[in-house]
């Protein structure tokens, strides 16, 4: 299907797919301002509250390998609608949770369903468009998706200002139901029956092994995962970074998230404008160079001060997010283009590698180093360097 054959206007499609990609990050970032209140009511310390993120991400990662192939077999639309319905029910469970164990169980159920918007949405983009047009649409979706981590903690802070933490999950219920209705009314099926694959577990496992063992997939997926990991480390550490290191309160998460996600949105806009004018490979190299400058500035700043202060403490994250947004659409489309008949599976496996990385960051690395601005800066810089090394490896192999 091409742009001219698409039954839905591309701007409307971008808004819908962006919204679908947002509800996953919303379920992470909206609750950050509520951590102190939730911990006090549920009898959980900071480390225990951090598990509300890692449990969600682990569940997200486990089922990310299912969403894509399922959409290859039964269609994109059905999978998205089913995932939204499950997510809404899981959010109801979180809102009514009487203790931490129950909350973690329903957080896991949220994670099991949250990947449908982002993972299947990527396959929808590649179903509809090719080449530079696909890059432009991917960039538009990234711009909308990038707004979520910026406004989610602000919304959470507002809600905490006039209500209790369960109201955040009732907000997620309303948001997911609104997306369900919009998907039902607006999104056509972009993967027709004649293009679908029969879902056979043995063949699916064989296909997954083949994709995972493909050296090019490994290089591209690793470059994307480590590149984003530099930013996700700060997102996962946001409660400690904002409340303890920057010494702000629960309603001031925007001082961290707005500049950071502003950089991501601007980078996604530049990526879309550059489509067809600058080669994808060159754009990725520029993105990594920008992130490297951000990493060096971040380490230097943390070495030079005794206490972090605005705006200098958040400027490196803004610059790093800009670089990441230049890189992300190119690497994602490169992975999808490797498997034109298995785009759902390819998207799932790319998401799986990133989610496993993010879960480890949130569950292990972030609690260990989030009390130190310098350690966060050094670790983020190392993530950027490793991501660039994998991209450099891919560039050398593709030229040779």
């Amino acid at each position: 299907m091409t742009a001219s054959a698409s039954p839905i206007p591309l701007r409307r499609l971008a808004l819908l797919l962006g919204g679908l990609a947002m509800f996953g990050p919303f379920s992470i970032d909206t609750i950050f301002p509520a951590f102190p209140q939730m911990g006090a009511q549920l009898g959980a310390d900071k480390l225990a509250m951090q598990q509300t993120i890692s449990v969600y991400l682990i569940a997200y990662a486990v089922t990310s390998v299912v969403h894509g192939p399922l959409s290859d077999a039964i269609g994109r639309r059905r999978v998205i609608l089913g995932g939204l319905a499950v997510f809404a029910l899981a959010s109801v469970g979180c809102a009514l949770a009487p203790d931490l164990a129950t909350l973690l169980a329903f957080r896991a159920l949220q994670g099991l369903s949250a990947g449908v918007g982002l993972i299947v949405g990527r396959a929808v983009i590649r179903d509809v468009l090719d080449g530079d047009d696909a890059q432009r649409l991917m960039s538009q979706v990234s711009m909308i998706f990038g707004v979520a981590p910026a406004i989610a903690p602000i919304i959470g802070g507002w809600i905490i200002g006039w209500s209790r933490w369960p109201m955040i999950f009732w907000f997620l219920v309303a948001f997911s139901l609104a997306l369900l209705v919009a998907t039902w009314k607006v999104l056509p099926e972009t993967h027709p029956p004649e293009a679908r694959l029969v879902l056979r577990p043995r063949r699916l496992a064989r296909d997954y092994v083949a994709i995972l063992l493909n050296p090019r997939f490994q290089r591209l997926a690793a470059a994307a995962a480590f590149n984003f990991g530099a930013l996700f480390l700060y997102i996962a550490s946001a409660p400690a970074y904002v409340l303890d290191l920057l010494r702000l309160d629960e309603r001031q998460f925007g001082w961290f998230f707005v500049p950071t996600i502003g950089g991501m949105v601007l980078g996604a806009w530049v990526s879309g404008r550059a489509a067809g004018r600058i080669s994808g490979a060159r754009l990725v190299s520029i993105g990594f160079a920008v992130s490297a400058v951000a990493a060096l500035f971040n380490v230097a700043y943390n070495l030079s001060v005794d206490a972090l202060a605005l705006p200098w403490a958040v400027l490196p994250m803004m610059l790093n997010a800009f670089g990441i947004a230049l890189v992300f659409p190119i690497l994602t489309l490169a992975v999808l283009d490797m498997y034109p008949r298995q785009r759902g599976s390819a998207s799932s496996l790319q998401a799986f590698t990133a989610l496993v990385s993010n879960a480890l960051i949130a569950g292990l690395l972030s609690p260990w180093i989030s009390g130190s601005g310098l350690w966060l800066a050094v670790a983020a810089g190392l993530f950027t360097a490793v991501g660039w090394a994998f991209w450099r490896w891919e560039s050398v192999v593709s030229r040779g």
Side-chain angles (χ1 to χ4, degrees), residues 11 32 132 177 217 239 292 319 371 373:
R11 181 168 296 181
F32 281 160
D132 295 335
L177 289 177
F217 172 84
L319 190 59

PDB file of all heavy atoms in Angstrom, residues 11 32 132 177 217 239 292 319 371 373:
ATOM      1  N   ARG A  11      -1.822  12.568   7.925  1.00  0.00           N
ATOM      2  CA  ARG A  11      -1.719  13.349   9.155  1.00  0.00           C
ATOM      3  C   ARG A  11      -2.559  12.733  10.269  1.00  0.00           C
ATOM      4  O   ARG A  11      -2.139  12.655  11.418  1.00  0.00           O
ATOM      5  CB  ARG A  11      -2.159  14.788   8.901  1.00  0.00           C
ATOM      6  CG  ARG A  11      -2.058  15.688  10.123  1.00  0.00           C
ATOM      7  CD  ARG A  11      -2.214  17.140   9.762  1.00  0.00           C
ATOM      8  NE  ARG A  11      -1.131  17.598   8.897  1.00  0.00           N
ATOM      9  CZ  ARG A  11      -1.012  18.843   8.436  1.00  0.00           C
ATOM     10  NH1 ARG A  11      -1.921  19.757   8.759  1.00  0.00           N
ATOM     11  NH2 ARG A  11      -0.012  19.181   7.667  1.00  0.00           N
ATOM     12  N   PHE A  32       5.512   8.790  38.297  1.00  0.00           N
ATOM     13  CA  PHE A  32       6.723   9.233  38.978  1.00  0.00           C
ATOM     14  C   PHE A  32       6.447  10.225  40.120  1.00  0.00           C
ATOM     15  O   PHE A  32       6.968  10.056  41.224  1.00  0.00           O
ATOM     16  CB  PHE A  32       7.708   9.856  37.977  1.00  0.00           C
ATOM     17  CG  PHE A  32       8.482   8.846  37.183  1.00  0.00           C
ATOM     18  CD1 PHE A  32       9.082   9.212  35.987  1.00  0.00           C
ATOM     19  CD2 PHE A  32       8.626   7.537  37.614  1.00  0.00           C
ATOM     20  CE1 PHE A  32       9.805   8.291  35.244  1.00  0.00           C
ATOM     21  CE2 PHE A  32       9.342   6.598  36.876  1.00  0.00           C
ATOM     22  CZ  PHE A  32       9.937   6.978  35.686  1.00  0.00           C
ATOM     23  N   ASP A 132      11.570   7.297   1.711  1.00  0.00           N
ATOM     24  CA  ASP A 132      11.595   8.587   2.406  1.00  0.00           C
ATOM     25  C   ASP A 132      10.248   8.930   3.023  1.00  0.00           C
ATOM     26  O   ASP A 132      10.181   9.550   4.087  1.00  0.00           O
ATOM     27  CB  ASP A 132      12.013   9.698   1.438  1.00  0.00           C
ATOM     28  CG  ASP A 132      13.443   9.535   0.946  1.00  0.00           C
ATOM     29  OD1 ASP A 132      14.234   8.892   1.661  1.00  0.00           O
ATOM     30  OD2 ASP A 132      13.760  10.059  -0.147  1.00  0.00           O
ATOM     31  N   LEU A 177      -9.142   3.952  26.780  1.00  0.00           N
ATOM     32  CA  LEU A 177     -10.464   3.769  26.182  1.00  0.00           C
ATOM     33  C   LEU A 177     -10.695   4.762  25.042  1.00  0.00           C
ATOM     34  O   LEU A 177     -11.317   4.427  24.022  1.00  0.00           O
ATOM     35  CB  LEU A 177     -11.548   3.925  27.244  1.00  0.00           C
ATOM     36  CG  LEU A 177     -11.656   2.797  28.267  1.00  0.00           C
ATOM     37  CD1 LEU A 177     -12.726   3.109  29.299  1.00  0.00           C
ATOM     38  CD2 LEU A 177     -11.935   1.456  27.580  1.00  0.00           C
ATOM     39  N   PHE A 217      20.991  -7.731  11.902  1.00  0.00           N
ATOM     40  CA  PHE A 217      19.955  -7.398  12.876  1.00  0.00           C
ATOM     41  C   PHE A 217      20.568  -7.130  14.238  1.00  0.00           C
ATOM     42  O   PHE A 217      20.185  -6.179  14.933  1.00  0.00           O
ATOM     43  CB  PHE A 217      18.934  -8.535  12.981  1.00  0.00           C
ATOM     44  CG  PHE A 217      17.945  -8.339  14.098  1.00  0.00           C
ATOM     45  CD1 PHE A 217      16.815  -7.562  13.915  1.00  0.00           C
ATOM     46  CD2 PHE A 217      18.161  -8.910  15.352  1.00  0.00           C
ATOM     47  CE1 PHE A 217      15.909  -7.353  14.951  1.00  0.00           C
ATOM     48  CE2 PHE A 217      17.262  -8.703  16.390  1.00  0.00           C
ATOM     49  CZ  PHE A 217      16.141  -7.922  16.187  1.00  0.00           C
ATOM     50  N   PRO A 239      12.704   9.969  39.404  1.00  0.00           N
ATOM     51  CA  PRO A 239      12.313  10.328  40.771  1.00  0.00           C
ATOM     52  C   PRO A 239      13.493  10.758  41.638  1.00  0.00           C
ATOM     53  O   PRO A 239      13.426  11.766  42.343  1.00  0.00           O
ATOM     54  CB  PRO A 239      11.656   9.042  41.292  1.00  0.00           C
ATOM     55  CG  PRO A 239      11.138   8.368  40.064  1.00  0.00           C
ATOM     56  CD  PRO A 239      12.176   8.654  39.006  1.00  0.00           C
ATOM     57  N   ALA A 292      27.340  12.356  21.442  1.00  0.00           N
ATOM     58  CA  ALA A 292      28.682  12.324  22.031  1.00  0.00           C
ATOM     59  C   ALA A 292      29.046  13.669  22.656  1.00  0.00           C
ATOM     60  O   ALA A 292      29.609  13.729  23.751  1.00  0.00           O
ATOM     61  CB  ALA A 292      29.711  11.937  20.966  1.00  0.00           C
ATOM     62  N   LEU A 319      20.160  17.801  24.533  1.00  0.00           N
ATOM     63  CA  LEU A 319      20.998  17.604  23.352  1.00  0.00           C
ATOM     64  C   LEU A 319      21.101  16.128  22.988  1.00  0.00           C
ATOM     65  O   LEU A 319      21.044  15.758  21.800  1.00  0.00           O
ATOM     66  CB  LEU A 319      22.394  18.186  23.616  1.00  0.00           C
ATOM     67  CG  LEU A 319      23.344  18.287  22.425  1.00  0.00           C
ATOM     68  CD1 LEU A 319      22.748  19.161  21.337  1.00  0.00           C
ATOM     69  CD2 LEU A 319      24.694  18.847  22.885  1.00  0.00           C
ATOM     70  N   GLY A 371      21.763   7.884  42.742  1.00  0.00           N
ATOM     71  CA  GLY A 371      22.066   8.872  43.768  1.00  0.00           C
ATOM     72  C   GLY A 371      23.230   9.779  43.434  1.00  0.00           C
ATOM     73  O   GLY A 371      23.523  10.720  44.187  1.00  0.00           O
ATOM     74  N   GLY A 373      24.953  12.195  40.376  1.00  0.00           N
ATOM     75  CA  GLY A 373      24.869  12.794  39.049  1.00  0.00           C
ATOM     76  C   GLY A 373      26.039  12.404  38.169  1.00  0.00           C
ATOM     77  O   GLY A 373      25.881  12.192  36.962  1.00  0.00           O
TER      78      GLY A 373
END
